PDB file of all heavy atoms in Angstrom:
ATOM      1  N   ALA A 176      61.702 130.678 106.412  1.00  0.00           N
ATOM      2  CA  ALA A 176      60.384 130.516 107.112  1.00  0.00           C
ATOM      3  C   ALA A 176      59.245 130.893 106.411  1.00  0.00           C
ATOM      4  O   ALA A 176      58.183 130.252 106.559  1.00  0.00           O
ATOM      5  CB  ALA A 176      60.601 131.512 108.399  1.00  0.00           C
ATOM      6  N   ALA A 177      59.192 131.871 105.528  1.00  0.00           N
ATOM      7  CA  ALA A 177      58.120 132.263 104.668  1.00  0.00           C
ATOM      8  C   ALA A 177      57.763 131.223 103.722  1.00  0.00           C
ATOM      9  O   ALA A 177      56.528 130.821 103.514  1.00  0.00           O
ATOM     10  CB  ALA A 177      58.317 133.563 104.075  1.00  0.00           C
ATOM     11  N   VAL A 178      58.854 130.559 103.153  1.00  0.00           N
ATOM     12  CA  VAL A 178      58.612 129.560 102.028  1.00  0.00           C
ATOM     13  C   VAL A 178      57.973 128.337 102.847  1.00  0.00           C
ATOM     14  O   VAL A 178      56.950 127.756 102.254  1.00  0.00           O
ATOM     15  CB  VAL A 178      59.972 129.086 101.388  1.00  0.00           C
ATOM     16  CG1 VAL A 178      59.816 127.866 100.671  1.00  0.00           C
ATOM     17  CG2 VAL A 178      60.471 130.196 100.573  1.00  0.00           C
ATOM     18  N   ALA A 179      58.425 128.016 103.964  1.00  0.00           N
ATOM     19  CA  ALA A 179      57.845 126.939 104.754  1.00  0.00           C
ATOM     20  C   ALA A 179      56.501 127.244 105.216  1.00  0.00           C
ATOM     21  O   ALA A 179      55.453 126.338 105.046  1.00  0.00           O
ATOM     22  CB  ALA A 179      58.707 126.577 105.942  1.00  0.00           C
ATOM     23  N   ALA A 180      56.186 128.393 105.621  1.00  0.00           N
ATOM     24  CA  ALA A 180      54.768 128.797 106.068  1.00  0.00           C
ATOM     25  C   ALA A 180      53.829 128.731 104.933  1.00  0.00           C
ATOM     26  O   ALA A 180      52.732 128.134 105.100  1.00  0.00           O
ATOM     27  CB  ALA A 180      54.757 130.173 106.678  1.00  0.00           C
ATOM     28  N   GLN A 181      54.155 129.178 103.794  1.00  0.00           N
ATOM     29  CA  GLN A 181      53.289 129.129 102.610  1.00  0.00           C
ATOM     30  C   GLN A 181      53.008 127.700 102.258  1.00  0.00           C
ATOM     31  O   GLN A 181      51.909 127.277 101.867  1.00  0.00           O
ATOM     32  CB  GLN A 181      53.907 129.956 101.429  1.00  0.00           C
ATOM     33  CG  GLN A 181      52.944 129.948 100.219  1.00  0.00           C
ATOM     34  CD  GLN A 181      51.724 130.701 100.467  1.00  0.00           C
ATOM     35  OE1 GLN A 181      51.658 131.831 101.145  1.00  0.00           O
ATOM     36  NE2 GLN A 181      50.532 130.093 100.270  1.00  0.00           N
ATOM     37  N   ARG A 182      53.961 126.911 102.321  1.00  0.00           N
ATOM     38  CA  ARG A 182      53.901 125.477 101.895  1.00  0.00           C
ATOM     39  C   ARG A 182      52.947 124.745 102.915  1.00  0.00           C
ATOM     40  O   ARG A 182      52.153 123.876 102.467  1.00  0.00           O
ATOM     41  CB  ARG A 182      55.373 124.837 101.974  1.00  0.00           C
ATOM     42  CG  ARG A 182      55.300 123.484 101.881  1.00  0.00           C
ATOM     43  CD  ARG A 182      55.486 122.908 100.498  1.00  0.00           C
ATOM     44  NE  ARG A 182      55.823 121.524 100.435  1.00  0.00           N
ATOM     45  CZ  ARG A 182      55.996 120.733  99.372  1.00  0.00           C
ATOM     46  NH1 ARG A 182      55.861 121.445  98.214  1.00  0.00           N
ATOM     47  NH2 ARG A 182      56.348 119.631  99.414  1.00  0.00           N
ATOM     48  N   ALA A 183      53.029 125.207 104.175  1.00  0.00           N
ATOM     49  CA  ALA A 183      52.206 124.476 105.235  1.00  0.00           C
ATOM     50  C   ALA A 183      50.720 124.913 104.871  1.00  0.00           C
ATOM     51  O   ALA A 183      49.840 124.023 105.020  1.00  0.00           O
ATOM     52  CB  ALA A 183      52.598 124.933 106.549  1.00  0.00           C
ATOM     53  N   LEU A 184      50.527 126.163 104.614  1.00  0.00           N
ATOM     54  CA  LEU A 184      49.095 126.564 104.103  1.00  0.00           C
ATOM     55  C   LEU A 184      48.669 125.774 102.857  1.00  0.00           C
ATOM     56  O   LEU A 184      47.511 125.356 102.794  1.00  0.00           O
ATOM     57  CB  LEU A 184      49.125 128.107 103.877  1.00  0.00           C
ATOM     58  CG  LEU A 184      49.422 128.967 105.136  1.00  0.00           C
ATOM     59  CD1 LEU A 184      49.686 130.455 104.685  1.00  0.00           C
ATOM     60  CD2 LEU A 184      48.345 128.828 106.159  1.00  0.00           C
ATOM     61  N   ASP A 185      49.549 125.774 101.922  1.00  0.00           N
ATOM     62  CA  ASP A 185      49.190 125.016 100.704  1.00  0.00           C
ATOM     63  C   ASP A 185      48.843 123.497 100.889  1.00  0.00           C
ATOM     64  O   ASP A 185      48.109 122.875 100.245  1.00  0.00           O
ATOM     65  CB  ASP A 185      50.294 125.158  99.593  1.00  0.00           C
ATOM     66  CG  ASP A 185      50.397 126.626  99.193  1.00  0.00           C
ATOM     67  OD1 ASP A 185      49.442 127.360  99.335  1.00  0.00           O
ATOM     68  OD2 ASP A 185      51.424 127.001  98.653  1.00  0.00           O
ATOM     69  N   ALA A 186      49.471 122.973 102.022  1.00  0.00           N
ATOM     70  CA  ALA A 186      49.206 121.545 102.427  1.00  0.00           C
ATOM     71  C   ALA A 186      47.956 121.426 103.247  1.00  0.00           C
ATOM     72  O   ALA A 186      47.555 120.362 103.552  1.00  0.00           O
ATOM     73  CB  ALA A 186      50.448 121.060 103.226  1.00  0.00           C
ATOM     74  N   GLY A 187      47.246 122.496 103.518  1.00  0.00           N
ATOM     75  CA  GLY A 187      45.972 122.446 104.119  1.00  0.00           C
ATOM     76  C   GLY A 187      45.794 123.124 105.450  1.00  0.00           C
ATOM     77  O   GLY A 187      44.553 123.113 106.003  1.00  0.00           O
ATOM     78  N   LEU A 188      46.842 123.602 106.050  1.00  0.00           N
ATOM     79  CA  LEU A 188      46.696 124.333 107.254  1.00  0.00           C
ATOM     80  C   LEU A 188      45.923 125.642 107.090  1.00  0.00           C
ATOM     81  O   LEU A 188      45.955 126.360 106.053  1.00  0.00           O
ATOM     82  CB  LEU A 188      48.022 124.491 108.002  1.00  0.00           C
ATOM     83  CG  LEU A 188      48.469 123.451 108.917  1.00  0.00           C
ATOM     84  CD1 LEU A 188      48.614 122.117 108.174  1.00  0.00           C
ATOM     85  CD2 LEU A 188      49.768 123.796 109.540  1.00  0.00           C
ATOM     86  N   SER A 189      45.272 126.110 108.084  1.00  0.00           N
ATOM     87  CA  SER A 189      44.451 127.372 107.982  1.00  0.00           C
ATOM     88  C   SER A 189      45.257 128.555 108.463  1.00  0.00           C
ATOM     89  O   SER A 189      45.154 129.654 107.979  1.00  0.00           O
ATOM     90  CB  SER A 189      43.176 127.344 108.910  1.00  0.00           C
ATOM     91  OG  SER A 189      42.417 126.190 108.446  1.00  0.00           O
ATOM     92  N   ARG A 190      46.041 128.345 109.592  1.00  0.00           N
ATOM     93  CA  ARG A 190      46.820 129.578 110.027  1.00  0.00           C
ATOM     94  C   ARG A 190      48.097 129.134 110.770  1.00  0.00           C
ATOM     95  O   ARG A 190      48.126 128.092 111.414  1.00  0.00           O
ATOM     96  CB  ARG A 190      46.117 130.350 111.030  1.00  0.00           C
ATOM     97  CG  ARG A 190      46.881 131.573 111.570  1.00  0.00           C
ATOM     98  CD  ARG A 190      46.007 132.469 112.433  1.00  0.00           C
ATOM     99  NE  ARG A 190      45.022 133.208 111.445  1.00  0.00           N
ATOM    100  CZ  ARG A 190      43.851 133.563 111.823  1.00  0.00           C
ATOM    101  NH1 ARG A 190      43.396 133.224 113.107  1.00  0.00           N
ATOM    102  NH2 ARG A 190      42.961 134.223 111.058  1.00  0.00           N
ATOM    103  N   VAL A 191      49.229 129.779 110.397  1.00  0.00           N
ATOM    104  CA  VAL A 191      50.559 129.452 110.871  1.00  0.00           C
ATOM    105  C   VAL A 191      51.055 130.639 111.638  1.00  0.00           C
ATOM    106  O   VAL A 191      50.957 131.792 111.181  1.00  0.00           O
ATOM    107  CB  VAL A 191      51.456 129.115 109.644  1.00  0.00           C
ATOM    108  CG1 VAL A 191      52.861 128.925 110.080  1.00  0.00           C
ATOM    109  CG2 VAL A 191      50.905 127.878 108.875  1.00  0.00           C
TER     110      VAL A 191
END
Side-chain angles (χ1 to χ4, degrees):
V178 169
Q181 183 61 52
R182 170 92 165 178
L184 295 170
D185 293 342
L188 270 58
S189 306
R190 182 169 291 145
V191 173

